[in-house]
Amino acid sequence: MGAIETHGLTKRFGELVAVDNLNLDVAEGEIFGLLGPNGAGKTTTISMLATLLGLDSGRASVAGYDVIDKPAKVREQIGIVFQDPSSDDILTGHENLYLHGLMYGVPRAIIPQRVEEALELVQLKGREDDLVRTYSGGMRRRLELARGLLHHPRILFLDEPTLGLDPQTRQRIWAHIESIVAERKVTIILTTHYMEEADRLCDRLAIIDFGRIVALDSPQTLKDTVGGDTVQLEVVNVEAAATALENLECVSRCETRDGRLDVAVQDVAQNLPAVFTAAGEIASFSVRNTTLDDVFLHYTGHDIRDESAEGVAKHMHRVRSVNR
Amino acid sequence: MSQLSGLYAIWLREVKVFFREYSRLIGSVLTPLLWLVVVGKGIGASIEDDASFGGVGYDTFIFPGILCMTVLFQSVFYGLYIVWDRKIDFLKEVLAAPLHRSTIFLGKVLGGVTDSMVQVTIIVILGYFIFPEVTYTVRSLTVVYLFMFLLAVTMTSIGLIIGSRMESPEGFSLVVSLVVFPMYFLSGALFLKRNLTSEAPYLYWATVANPVSYAVDAIRYTLLRGDGGRPIEAFNEFGLALDFAVLGGFCLVLLVIGTWAFRTMRL
Ligand SMILES: Nc1ncnc2c1ncn2[C@@H]1O[C@H](COP(=O)(O)OP(=O)(O)OP(=O)(O)O)[C@@H](O)[C@H]1O
Ligand SMILES: [Mg+2]
């Protein structure tokens, strides 16, 4: 039995179908990614799995317990890092962690030790007795991450966990996530707009658009389906080149972006001459490995980068506007 | 055991927040003082005959009522914070914890009750210096605090129940005003309820249906003494036993409704 299973999971908000007939089967000890543009239904899915939101049809089980029949049992097994700020800004960082330990059933005697470890991990030592109100957006995010991990849950939901964090911190968090999965077989569902994060952490990825899964596989396989490597071309006659390229055996995908051509080519080393011939007169070219960005673009038709920039701005805005 | 820890955590959080915002403390002491000094003395000065107020000065007469008012307003408006907490994501952290909804509700109630008790204590202490007729003994204070506690539990529950249903702070304030002002004025805080029986019997029945009346009744009878420290029978309108039974009943019923309200609360 999987750690998380859903069958036909559906959630509507009025007319809008936020999550549409979702089937997931996440194994114990797996890091499973949900990838999708804004409004795809990732947060809604997590809220239903964490028993915070009812469902309209279908069913879902977490750690073997049905989320509707046994929500209390589910809550004993999970930890969650919310997308939006959820720390108490009138309390200090230390108080936030301590109260979390009490509420999430950590034995009183070991809470201080856990709090220390958590502060160490997210490098908030020295600031733990300041009010969260005085933290920067990234510090606040780190505190919320530390809090989600504090009670050593068996199943973790991470909703854009490293949003707004600097690269070094992000690396530390990734390493920690990998270590808890290796040591304790924690199961993780993670949403992210950072392709690098999805690529590094996730065993499998579901690309979601309009509440539906449009692709599901390991990051590598997804990249392979989209095509080997990407050749970017600036050509004189874009249309003619595109038609000619699409007819080539080795070209699995050819997309026009801002007057440039993104061509997915299998076995570039062998086939580059053929590509050049087909493209006609070339102004410039570059070759790079296919990334999840390409996969994302391929399946959803949106570029992920715009999303993440907007996401950070939105998050920071929320952080600032949350004042009690 | 873990439920108890959770209860303690929720209560502790409320108490920490309360003591960190002194402005709330000062604001809540000012209103009762205005009532005691301005309304009490002002109206008291125009009253010729103290007999319809049990033979004590009007400002002394309303003192127990003002204690109840302090608890009443403070407790109900505490429900405002749940509206806020629901708008932003603080509450999700609590709702995703392995705690029963009844634990969460009870923790919030106890937090609100603690706030109210601290604030009303300031008025109780001030009363000692202002009113010589007010008798503080171990027994009277025990009874007074018992009833203020029951009243606070009742009213905090009402505030949280309303708060769990309202979408906006403005809506909450509006609905709560419609509830607390009638409850305050129909509690006998400012007059003797039995004087209503002949003049306006329907108002009398409204006071009987009002839980606050029972707290006012018990506290006034306990706290205000006549010559030689004898109880003033005019203040014994319902009787302490009935007061306790009715207010305690309200408490229990509202705790049950509150748990249900939290269980079905939408974010
Ligand atoms: N409480 C709500 N009421 C009405 N509509 C909602 C509510 N919550 C979410 N939605 C809608 O459901 C859809 C899915 O939202 P959701 O928050 O799950 O998206 P997401 O994939 O997490 O997006 P993002 O990347 O921006 O976080 C959106 O169209 C959103 O407008
Ligand atoms: Mg989201």
Side-chain angles (χ1 to χ4, degrees):
Chain A
M1 163 151 253
I4 296 167
E5 283 182 16
T6 74
H7 296 281
L9 186 66
T10 301
K11 179 74 195 177
R12 294 189 193 87
F13 293 108
E15 292 285 281
L16 181 102
V17 187
V19 174
D20 192 357
N21 213 349
L22 201 70
N23 297 311
L24 292 177
D25 187 354
V26 181
E28 199 180 328
E30 184 172 12
I31 306 185
F32 190 90
L34 297 178
L35 217 59
N38 291 141
K42 306 178 295 291
T43 301
T44 307
T45 303
I46 288 187
S47 300
M48 287 190 285
L49 293 176
T51 77
L52 293 173
L53 200 61
L55 29 117
D56 287 321
S57 61
R59 27 191 205 88
S61 72
V62 173
Y65 299 108
D66 190 276
V67 294
I68 296 301
D69 299 340
K70 296 264 186 298
K73 289 282 182 197
V74 171
R75 288 201 291 266
E76 281 171 16
Q77 307 292 333
I78 62 170
I80 175 163
V81 174
F82 299 96
Q83 179 177 359
D84 290 325
S86 60
S87 46
D88 216 331
D89 65 357
I90 200 168
L91 299 180
T92 67
H94 188 280
E95 287 167 339
N96 266 286
L97 294 175
Y98 185 78
L99 292 179
H100 178 92
L102 285 176
M103 285 195 294
Y104 281 71
V106 182
R108 188 100 46 113
I110 61 175
I111 294 178
Q113 177 203 336
R114 290 279 180 88
V115 171
E116 283 305 302
E117 286 168 11
L119 288 168
E120 206 74 62
L121 169 71
V122 298
Q123 294 184 300
L124 280 174
K125 281 227 56 85
R127 291 298 301 270
E128 73 263 37
D129 290 328
D130 295 342
L131 292 186
V132 171
R133 194 170 272 181
T134 67
Y135 284 14
S136 73
M139 290 167 66
R140 189 169 178 161
R141 193 69 193 146
R142 269 142 61 192
L143 179 71
E144 286 165 5
L145 259 165
R147 193 181 63 180
L149 303 170
L150 185 97
H151 60 291
H152 291 186
R154 276 186 50 208
I155 293 179
L156 246 182
F157 298 103
L158 304 176
D159 202 351
E160 306 196 21
T162 61
L163 187 66
L165 295 188
D166 61 56
Q168 290 93 320
T169 311
R170 191 172 296 162
Q171 293 285 346
R172 282 175 68 90
I173 302 294
W174 290 348
H176 183 75
I177 288 174
E178 284 166 340
S179 79
I180 60 173
V181 172
E183 286 161 23
R184 288 192 250 121
K185 273 189 89 69
V186 176
T187 308
I188 295 181
I189 286 211
L190 169 131
T191 81
T192 183
H193 283 147
Y194 297 114
M195 290 302 159
E196 199 193 342
E197 181 163 279
D199 213 350
R200 162 147 179 199
L201 289 179
C202 296
D203 298 310
R204 284 190 303 153
L205 275 176
I207 296 185
I208 300 188
D209 208 7
F210 298 108
R212 255 181 249 149
I213 296 180
V214 292
L216 195 164
D217 221 314
S218 71
Q220 192 53 52
T221 316
L222 284 173
K223 281 187 284 190
D224 288 345
T225 26
V226 170
D229 293 323
T230 300
V231 181
Q232 270 186 352
L233 293 170
E234 266 185 78
V235 296
V236 176
N237 187 341
V238 176
E239 258 136 59
T243 322
L245 284 166
E246 267 162 12
N247 287 331
L248 286 182
E249 184 75 13
C250 60
V251 170
S252 52
R253 183 172 59 94
C254 178
E255 272 152 14
T256 317
R257 256 203 277 184
D258 319 324
R260 272 186 295 110
L261 285 172
D262 277 12
V263 190
V265 183
Q266 250 113 38
D267 202 359
V268 172
Q270 281 286 323
N271 295 320
L272 200 54
V275 170
F276 280 180
T277 318
E281 199 175 330
I282 295 171
S284 75
F285 82 97
S286 67
V287 180
R288 57 179 174 80
N289 295 333
T290 296
T291 63
L292 280 177
D293 288 292
D294 301 300
V295 177
F296 192 84
L297 178 72
H298 177 70
Y299 282 108
T300 68
H302 323 273
D303 199 336
I304 193 87
R305 288 207 182 84
D306 322 330
E307 323 275 358
S308 56
E310 185 196 316
V312 172
K314 194 172 109 198
H315 181 76
M316 292 311 166
H317 176 74
R318 292 280 315 238
V319 168
R320 291 205 189 89
S321 64
V322 170
N323 255 325
R324 175 157 159 174
Chain B
M1 183 57 218
S2 62
Q3 295 294 320
L4 260 183
S5 294
L7 185 72
Y8 168 67
I10 292 169
W11 171 81
L12 186 63
R13 186 256 170 190
E14 299 301 323
V15 173
K16 279 178 186 281
V17 170
F18 175 71
F19 281 108
R20 232 156 254 177
E21 308 217 305
Y22 327 135
S23 59
R24 281 211 246 161
L25 256 173
I26 296 164
S28 63
V29 171
L30 207 62
T31 317
L33 268 185
L34 278 175
W35 273 93
L36 283 177
V37 177
V38 182
V39 179
K41 292 268 184 234
I43 294 185
S46 342
I47 294 172
E48 300 273 305
D49 178 12
D50 284 343
S52 47
F53 297 106
V56 299
Y58 187 66
D59 50 353
T60 311
F61 174 83
I62 65 170
F63 177 63
I66 299 306
L67 291 181
C68 292
M69 179 197 85
T70 309
V71 174
L72 167 66
F73 279 69
Q74 180 57 37
S75 300
V76 176
F77 276 100
Y78 172 81
L80 184 61
Y81 295 112
I82 202 82
V83 183
W84 265 113
D85 287 358
R86 268 166 57 228
K87 276 174 83 85
I88 42 196
D89 272 358
F90 295 146
L91 198 63
K92 284 197 190 160
E93 148 83 354
V94 179
L95 295 182
L99 299 174
H100 299 310
R101 288 296 159 88
S102 53
T103 306
I104 299 174
F105 181 72
L106 206 60
K108 290 275 177 191
V109 168
L110 289 179
V113 168
T114 308
D115 294 3
S116 297
M117 290 297 119
V118 171
Q119 298 192 325
V120 80
T121 298
I122 299 174
I123 310 295
V124 167
I125 293 168
L126 289 176
Y128 179 79
F129 295 104
I130 307 179
F131 303 110
E133 295 94 335
V134 173
T135 39
Y136 289 149
T137 61
V138 173
R139 185 190 165 272
S140 76
L141 280 177
T142 310
V143 175
V144 166
Y145 270 89
L146 171 68
F147 277 92
M148 290 196 302
F149 177 82
L150 292 177
L151 180 65
V153 172
T154 305
M155 299 319 298
T156 310
S157 302
I158 291 179
L160 287 172
I161 291 165
I162 298 173
S164 74
R165 301 288 120 171
M166 302 306 296
E167 296 295 330
S168 74
E170 294 79 13
F172 176 84
S173 301
L174 188 78
V175 171
V176 158
S177 304
L178 292 178
V179 174
V180 289
F181 284 103
M183 282 183 112
Y184 173 44
F185 290 121
L186 287 172
S187 68
L190 304 174
F191 49 78
L192 280 177
K193 294 174 274 284
R194 80 156 55 91
N195 294 350
L196 287 172
T197 40
S198 54
E199 293 281 327
Y202 51 93
L203 280 185
Y204 176 75
W205 290 112
T207 65
V208 169
N210 179 3
V212 187
S213 301
Y214 297 87
V216 171
D217 192 53
I219 294 174
R220 182 175 285 138
Y221 180 61
T222 308
L223 218 49
L224 302 186
R225 293 284 154 128
D227 300 329
R230 276 178 297 105
I232 301 170
E233 285 311 318
F235 295 156
N236 197 14
E237 296 191 274
F238 298 139
L240 283 183
L242 185 64
D243 291 335
F244 180 76
V246 174
L247 201 54
F250 267 107
C251 265
L252 292 180
V253 170
L254 283 160
L255 287 176
V256 172
I257 299 177
T259 300
W260 168 84
F262 266 42
R263 195 171 288 144
T264 55
M265 176 166 59
R266 292 203 322 183
L267 291 174

